[in-house]
DNA sequence: GCGGCATCAGACACCGATGTTGATCAGCCG
DNA sequence: CGGCTGATCAACATCGGTGTCTGATGCCGC
């Protein structure tokens, strides 16, 4: 078709006029570079180049490098929220979920972790970028995705399907960061989609096993059992509320 | 002692001639800056300034910025190895450990995790630096500290104190990264040494609880139990399924 | 068809970081 | 004590990134 795209010479086919599109293109490029170099290593020049956008245009969408980084981390978190929970963070209210839907969202076996792992396995850049962000942030728990996950798990802990005495914060740290680092580790071993899926399955299976049975055989650690049961016995929920306000 | 240190005017009291000392001073400064900005954010200028050393001197010890970063990550890993396992990585052989010593080193309840958490809680810069390094590295599992931990845990898994069917890699990812990120999270909440110790205790207790009992009540997930027990071994699962009541 | 605006190209001053080089001075050894 | 080695330092040239500005160009809605 005879249209734009000056063929031979390095002529640049000027980008079609689409502010939102370019913005997200920039964010996406910034995301992948963020994953590679971390927040401190991000340069507007590289981002613009990768996004196929003039540097000046980038500066038109984000006044300063710092703002670009900020916007990018927020965007990454948003992507993760949508992929994991299927809704945006900026609560457009959205009708209250039905009870069974509630249970599905809350129960750790319902697929939230599976979703996250699979998504992270297919988008390791986002996972890595999120980890960088969380690691660099002075307040990791302020991240929207973090808060979302934590809240969901907190609700699960209240149900009678959960073991008593769970420490929500510790669990959140373990699961979130483990779930996102696993693809980083696995990346070195899996090339094909099949291998990746297998590794994702391996992770979720081990999480399931650990969640059900733990790592140690209780009968081998009577003293530890006694101490822990003393901690959680009297009134499980009260014990937790003491520290996880 | 009354010596050196020209007092008033900005006169620089030329550093005493001490190659090894300056080298480790540089490494230490690089470590704390690495924790703050990540590998890509590290600048030789800042390192030299923080270490109280001329930039040129730094370049004499490490030919290039990249080499400095590399040496620093190695140094951090070394520090962690010594803190956690009490010996250096560059195996000077060192006599074989006695059987009970072996058990102490291998058993997850013996204090390895406690050691690491406490150390990480008191040296969050090192923890953060290590996480940055692991996150940025294409082969996280090549880190000496990582390998050391993994090997120890692998030996534990072979003992009959361990649950059957443990996935060593998944466990290593979870524990290592969780243990080091916990201080980063906790840092935002704890100021005094007492608070820090309390948070460290809270983490190890939850790890212990999780290792013993897991997160979910098996009786609520019969299908999952069936699938997992089929995966591992037919026999031992029944024993622990009764523990939770 | 026209005006507004998104996009691009290029240039500028400024800054900080990188490596390099030659001078300088501390500590050791004869 | 005097010289030598090399650890430490100050200064230089260079490069790349930032943030800003100007003018040109084309796309889209009115």
């Amino acid at each position: 078709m005879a249209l734009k795209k000056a063929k031979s010479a390095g002529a640049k086919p000027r980008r079609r006029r689409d502010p939102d599109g370019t913005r997200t293109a920039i964010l996406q490029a910034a995301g992948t570079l963020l994953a590679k170099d971390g927040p401190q290593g991000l340069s507007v020049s590289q981002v613009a180049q990768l996004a196929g956008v003039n540097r000046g245009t980038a500066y038109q969408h984000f006044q300063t490098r710092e703002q670009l980084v900020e916007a990018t981390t927020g965007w990454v978190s948003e992507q993760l929220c949508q992929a994991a929970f299927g809704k945006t963070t900026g609560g457009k209210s959205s009708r209250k979920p039905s009870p069974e839907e509630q249970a599905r969202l809350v129960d750790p076996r319902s697929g939230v972790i599976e979703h996250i792992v699979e998504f992270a396995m297919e988008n390791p850049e986002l996972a890595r970028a999120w980890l960088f962000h969380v690691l660099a942030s002075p307040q990791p728990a302020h991240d929207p995705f973090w808060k979302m996950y934590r809240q969901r798990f907190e609700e699960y802990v209240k149900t009678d399907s959960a073991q008593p005495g769970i420490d929500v914060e510790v669990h959140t740290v373990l699961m979130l960061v483990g779930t996102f680092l696993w693809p980083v580790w696995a990346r070195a071993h899996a090339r094909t989609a099949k291998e990746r899926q297998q590794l994702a399955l391996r992770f979720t299976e081990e999480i399931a096993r650990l969640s059900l049975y733990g790592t140690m055989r209780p009968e081998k650690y009577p003293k530890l059992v006694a101490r822990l049961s003393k901690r959680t016995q009297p009134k499980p929920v009260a014990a937790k509320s003491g520290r996880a306000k």
Side-chain angles (χ1 to χ4, degrees), chain A:
Chain A
M1 309 58 169
L3 66 161
K4 67 314 182 57
K5 207 61 180 186
K7 61 278 25 198
S8 54
K12 326 298 187 78
R14 173 181 285 241
R15 192 180 187 83
R16 291 185 76 117
R17 188 185 193 148
D18 176 13
D20 290 8
T22 33
R23 184 187 163 89
T24 67
I26 293 172
L27 284 176
Q28 196 164 339
T32 68
L33 287 183
L34 195 62
K36 198 166 56 171
D37 301 331
Q40 313 290 333
L42 196 78
S43 88
V44 183
S45 314
Q46 292 179 31
V47 171
Q49 185 171 354
L50 179 60
V53 167
N54 188 284
R55 197 167 62 92
T57 304
Y59 272 101
Q60 184 145 353
H61 285 267
F62 309 92
Q63 288 81 350
T64 176
R65 193 193 86 99
E66 209 45 51
Q67 285 191 30
L68 172 58
V69 172
E70 208 171 318
T72 305
T73 60
W75 179 79
V76 166
S77 213
E78 181 84 10
Q79 298 287 108
L80 292 178
C81 276
Q82 259 176 280
F85 307 110
K87 71 175 187 186
T88 164
T89 71
K92 276 294 207 182
S93 76
S94 71
R95 79 280 184 281
K96 247 201 148 70
S98 67
E100 55 272 19
E101 198 176 2
Q102 174 78 11
R104 200 185 64 75
L105 288 172
V106 148
D107 192 317
R109 295 306 312 159
S110 68
V112 169
I113 294 242
E114 279 84 344
H115 260 110
I116 303 180
V117 170
E118 275 179 30
F119 179 79
M121 208 60 132
E122 293 306 315
N123 305 277
E125 336 81 44
L126 286 183
R128 216 183 196 119
W130 187 83
L131 282 174
F132 266 124
H133 154 57
V134 161
L135 191 48
S137 159
Q139 296 277 3
H142 284 24
D143 175 80
F145 182 69
W146 184 297
K147 290 199 293 201
M148 184 88 86
Y149 182 88
R150 187 211 134 103
Q151 174 200 338
R152 286 288 165 79
F153 188 71
E154 210 163 29
E155 288 169 12
Y156 170 73
V157 164
K158 290 180 192 158
T159 71
D160 64 347
S161 296
Q163 297 271 14
I166 295 177
D167 188 315
V168 175
E169 264 89 15
V170 173
H171 178 92
T172 304
V173 168
L174 271 185
M175 286 303 139
L176 278 186
V177 83
T179 304
F180 283 121
L181 192 66
W182 175 251
V184 172
W185 178 88
R187 191 69 172 183
H189 304 265
R191 294 285 163 218
T192 77
K194 192 177 176 66
E195 285 173 320
R196 284 198 296 270
Q197 197 177 358
Q198 211 162 357
L199 281 172
L201 180 66
R202 190 173 144 195
F203 183 80
T204 56
E205 288 284 293
E206 173 66 5
I207 293 295
R209 195 203 56 73
L210 181 62
S211 297
L212 274 184
Y213 304 132
T215 300
M216 306 182 288
R217 306 186 89 122
E219 64 270 24
K220 297 277 187 177
Y221 303 88
K223 279 165 43 181
L224 182 59
V225 168
R227 199 177 81 223
L228 284 180
S229 70
K230 187 165 54 187
R231 190 185 92 178
T232 64
Q233 271 304 335
K235 184 66 176 179
V237 190
K240 171 192 111 285
S241 69
R243 36 173 213 279
K245 56 162 47 126

